[in-house]
Amino acid sequence: MVNATPFITTKSEEIFTAAQHLMPGGVSSPVRAFKSVGGQPIVFDRVEGAQIWDVDGNQYIDYVGTWGPAICGHAHPDVINALKQALDKGTSFGAPCAQENVLAEMVIDAVPSIEMVRFVNSGTEACMSVLRLMRAFTGREKIIKFEGCYHGHADMFLVKAGSGVATLGLPDSPGVPSNTTKATLTAPYNDLEAVKALFVENPDSIAGVILEPVVGNAGFILPDAGFLEGLRELTKEYGALLVFDEVMTGFRVSYGGAQARFGVTPDLTTLGKVIGGGLPVGAYGGREDIMAMVAPAGPMYQAGTLSGNPLAMTAGIKTLEILQKPGSYEYLDKITKRLVSGLLTAAEEAGHEVCGGSISAMFGIFFAPGPVRNYEDAKLADTNKFARFHRGMLERGIYLAPSQYEAGFPSLAHTEAQIDQTIAVAKEVFATL
Ligand SMILES: *Cc1c(COP(=O)(O)O)cnc(C)c1O
């Protein structure tokens, strides 16, 4: 156990209570408020390597990694030092900087589909822009997305799927005009037949298909064998574009992302998280003939005051350099597999029904019988039990994402000893559930 008992979070509670009068729900992004697991969130003070310290001085082993960017470990000295040097030259230019070329080349070299890239400031922005580009390039309006996949919070993506049959989208949030989501068609993940049916119904009006090639936002869900290949064939057949949203999987499930790992090349790709190394960055890129549509090369407008700023580019470059070192992904694969098999075994030994898996440094566990192939399956998970598991782990110094429907992320900084300690703590918690 990392922390002393009792678990004291007085300062976190004070700060979070005050925050609730200052910001909606006390946070800048919803999941952070711990609503789905109950209890108060802890307020962070400092992060380093695989660890977090909160404002009360409690210490945790972290499996969120600021939702993905911290794949080399928090505050990696190479990243911090490079940032300090870049900082001396200013924070933002609003003009071209040489670091953009460096990161662009690295991204183009790494990601099979990307021949040209545009940097933006978040994954949301990347997805929103790629959607405009899909429509601009094809001259078609409809898109297909999958139930449970998250592509940021732009209006057109905030669509809940109708149950059973894939239907026209209904807005998922007040404030999203129904006209905006009318063109968003949805299908269950891993259901090629549903996608085919949508194409048959709308043969000339679908601009493209966007998906998480490995789902991390409905819990962790792998694509079935042939699913990505099938989407590639269908989109080609109907003159539509295939877009992989690799904001989470890019530079995580392999250096070249899910597309390199599975050998399926989309037309366009969105990136974020890892490529910003902890600073706000997103990117979209793809075939040169499509990217030529983007302003000022072409007519599709998209811009950003802080886009490509030297600090964000520097953090991204350093992060990718660290990942390029031989053995990085083998290590991530090894520790993540060790963690997941340890957790699953411990849960089963304690009599819990669980399923889960991992791919490189991305994993997930459901309190569900499994297999989980789509969002409907994921919804069968016992979220109540997860909430108690989460709390037990937190109190014992293990920080997991505060939702059953998020993936987990180990980093290069996680040691095998920390993995084993995590499994040992989980054993203790599983026994209490
Ligand atoms: C996180 C995420 C986004 C949104 O990125 P933000 O930087 O939070 O706007 C989009 N798509 C996927 C797959 C993500 O995981």
Side-chain angles (χ1 to χ4, degrees):
M1 280 210 305
V2 181
N3 289 319
T5 35
F7 178 58
I8 294 174
T9 55
T10 321
K11 284 187 189 159
S12 276
E13 281 161 34
E14 273 170 28
I15 293 170
F16 186 64
T17 303
Q20 283 172 299
H21 301 289
L22 303 169
M23 297 170 283
V27 289
S28 299
S29 192
V31 189
R32 295 180 198 171
F34 276 36
K35 284 239 163 155
S36 63
V37 289
Q40 294 250 344
I42 54 163
V43 176
F44 288 23
D45 180 51
R46 187 165 73 84
V47 290
E48 190 184 332
Q51 287 178 305
I52 299 166
W53 287 264
D54 71 14
V55 288
D56 289 282
N58 299 305
Q59 190 179 331
Y60 309 84
I61 301 172
D62 178 26
Y63 290 99
V64 181
T66 185
W67 301 98
I71 192 166
C72 302
H74 290 290
H76 191 288
D78 292 358
V79 178
I80 298 292
N81 288 333
L83 278 174
K84 281 179 179 162
Q85 281 178 26
L87 195 55
D88 282 340
K89 295 185 174 186
T91 55
S92 176
F93 298 162
C97 72
Q99 291 95 321
E100 291 172 274
N101 290 20
V102 178
L103 188 58
E105 257 182 6
M106 291 174 99
V107 167
I108 290 164
D109 285 348
V111 185
S113 66
I114 300 189
E115 295 171 359
M116 266 193 166
V117 65
R118 165 62 57 87
F119 292 113
V120 293
N121 302 294
S122 69
T124 292
E125 235 188 287
C127 293
M128 194 174 85
S129 308
V130 95
L131 175 60
R132 186 177 305 141
L133 182 56
M134 288 159 79
R135 289 169 164 168
F137 184 77
T138 59
R140 301 172 174 184
E141 286 207 358
K142 289 178 182 156
I143 59 148
I144 298 175
K145 82 173 278 287
F146 294 92
E147 194 179 341
C149 280
Y150 181 64
H151 304 296
H153 63 80
D155 281 356
M156 307 72 76
F157 292 122
L158 288 184
V159 177
K160 199 180 276 175
S163 57
V165 258
T167 61
L168 288 179
L170 291 173
D172 218 11
S173 160
V176 175
S178 53
N179 271 344
T180 323
T181 55
K182 261 190 192 137
T184 308
L185 312 175
T186 57
Y189 199 79
N190 276 326
D191 190 342
L192 217 44
E193 287 307 312
V195 179
K196 200 176 283 175
L198 290 173
F199 272 113
V200 170
E201 266 172 54
N202 308 273
D204 306 313
S205 53
I206 296 174
V209 176
I210 184 167
L211 77 156
E212 293 180 65
V214 176
V215 182
N217 287 291
F220 173 81
I221 303 173
L222 283 167
D224 286 350
F227 180 58
L228 301 176
E229 291 84 350
L231 293 176
R232 181 63 287 185
E233 277 168 28
L234 271 176
T235 44
K236 268 208 181 118
E237 187 184 335
Y238 285 92
L241 299 174
L242 179 63
V243 183
F244 280 5
D245 177 355
E246 298 227 41
V247 170
M248 186 183 290
T249 53
F251 296 94
R252 173 166 292 281
V253 306
S254 83
Y255 189 72
Q259 53 198 273
R261 179 115 185 185
F262 291 101
V264 176
T265 306
D267 301 297
L268 293 165
T269 299
T270 55
L271 295 168
K273 298 189 170 119
V274 171
I275 59 154
L279 271 81
V281 184
Y284 62 101
R287 270 167 41 199
E288 199 168 340
D289 62 319
I290 307 175
M291 291 304 289
M293 292 287 295
V294 179
M300 190 213 87
Y301 192 70
Q302 186 272 309
T305 300
L306 295 171
S307 296
N309 77 79
L311 285 185
M313 296 296 103
T314 298
I317 292 163
K318 275 295 152 191
T319 299
L320 298 196
E321 278 175 11
I322 296 162
L323 288 170
Q324 280 174 356
K325 289 184 186 152
S328 294
Y329 288 89
E330 287 78 1
Y331 182 73
L332 289 169
D333 221 32
K334 183 175 85 172
I335 57 165
T336 310
K337 277 199 184 116
R338 185 184 182 106
L339 175 69
V340 172
S341 73
L343 291 176
L344 290 174
T345 306
E348 279 157 11
E349 280 171 8
H352 301 294
E353 209 166 33
V354 286
C355 65
S358 70
I359 177 169
S360 185
M362 180 173 171
F363 74 92
I365 283 174
F366 290 104
F367 284 102
V372 174
R373 294 177 55 249
N374 56 41
Y375 190 44
E376 284 300 310
D377 297 339
K379 283 197 286 198
L380 299 175
D382 186 340
T383 50
N384 201 305
K385 196 183 261 189
F386 177 81
R388 286 179 282 133
F389 175 63
H390 181 271
R391 193 76 211 168
M393 295 296 276
L394 187 77
E395 288 178 357
R396 291 166 180 81
I398 307 294
Y399 191 79
L400 299 172
S403 163
Q404 169 82 94
Y405 298 107
E406 301 287 352
F409 307 119
S411 76
L412 288 173
H414 286 71
T415 63
E416 290 189 52
Q418 284 170 323
I419 299 290
D420 292 344
Q421 188 185 350
T422 305
I423 297 166
V425 170
K427 243 180 216 172
E428 224 180 278
V429 178
F430 284 135
T432 68
L433 299 181

